[in-house]
Amino acid sequence: MSRSQKKIDKINFEIFTLTYGEIVTTLLKDYEDVEEVNNQLDKMGYSMGIRMVDEFLAFTGLNKCSDFRDTADAIANKAFPLFLGFPAGIQNFDEKKKEFSLVLDQNPLIEFVELPPKYKGLFYCNILCGIIRGSLEMLQIDVEAKYKKCVLRGDERSEIFISLKQDPKKGDK
């Protein structure tokens, strides 16, 4: 990737970061229901993920992951740095249950955000869950992704729980 392309990508990401808060605010005004806003953010992210997977594969040159652990590593150590500028940690990986948690020690989408108490049930970055689901679905990997903890809700860290719903090799998990 050329130096000018990196600069353009950084500018695009900064614009997204700055406008994301307005997207969430507009959804809160339109729906007036925190759960519905969470659903809408997930749907938006899902649509983005479907489109982003091609860019991810093109930039990383990554071949097919050999197992669910490789998938977790690709999300945490390749996709997050590529699109958000930082890696995510992997915790509680369970090979048998095919599940793990992504731990976000940093997140530029929430740097200047405070949620009023009336929005306590909001998962502000729920768009990330949709992006993960949409991207993996395009690779024939059916997962559930949901926030388990969120710094904006008073938790010590943000954590996204991901579990395989269907193993393409074996049918249901």
Side-chain angles (χ1 to χ4, degrees), residues 1-9 59:
M1 180 184 309
S2 71
R3 189 173 183 189
S4 61
Q5 183 62 44
K6 286 181 183 179
K7 187 175 181 178
I8 290 169
D9 290 344
F59 275 109

Side-chain angles (χ1 to χ4, degrees), residues 29-170:
K29 288 177 185 173
D30 289 350
Y31 290 99
E32 298 178 3
D33 175 44
V34 172
E35 270 312 303
E36 185 55 32
V37 172
N38 287 336
N39 290 336
Q40 292 300 317
L41 289 170
D42 183 75
K43 286 179 185 177
M44 289 171 66
Y46 178 83
S47 295
M48 292 170 68
I50 288 172
R51 290 165 182 81
M52 291 170 72
V53 73
D54 287 334
E55 184 176 351
F56 171 77
L57 293 172
F59 275 109
T60 63
L62 190 68
N63 291 325
K64 187 174 182 177
C65 294
S66 61
D67 58 22
F68 198 54
R69 178 62 167 185
D70 280 351
T71 302
D73 287 335
I75 295 167
N77 298 312
K78 290 188 172 63
F80 268 72
L82 178 65
F83 293 111
L84 293 175
F86 65 90
I90 299 171
Q91 289 191 340
N92 306 319
F93 185 86
D94 187 326
E95 182 64 43
K96 189 173 184 178
K97 291 183 179 179
K98 303 286 189 207
E99 61 187 30
F100 64 94
S101 290
L102 287 176
V103 177
L104 311 178
D105 291 325
Q106 43 183 318
N107 184 346
L109 293 176
I110 64 170
E111 277 186 23
F112 304 106
V113 177
E114 281 187 42
L115 290 181
K118 72 179 187 175
Y119 298 128
K120 187 175 179 163
L122 177 69
F123 283 111
Y124 184 83
C125 292
N126 211 41
I127 199 165
L128 297 176
C129 294
I131 290 171
I132 292 166
R133 280 188 326 100
S135 296
L136 291 177
E137 185 175 295
M138 293 304 293
L139 301 172
Q140 284 84 40
I141 302 172
D142 190 14
V143 298
E144 180 179 352
K146 62 183 177 180
Y147 262 90
K148 195 173 185 180
K149 297 179 182 179
C150 181
V151 171
L152 293 177
R153 296 175 81 177
D155 295 315
E156 195 172 296
R157 63 183 184 189
S158 293
E159 185 176 327
I160 299 173
F161 178 75
I162 299 174
S163 63
L164 186 65
K165 290 170 55 175
Q166 184 176 9
D167 188 333
K169 296 175 190 164
K170 301 177 184 174

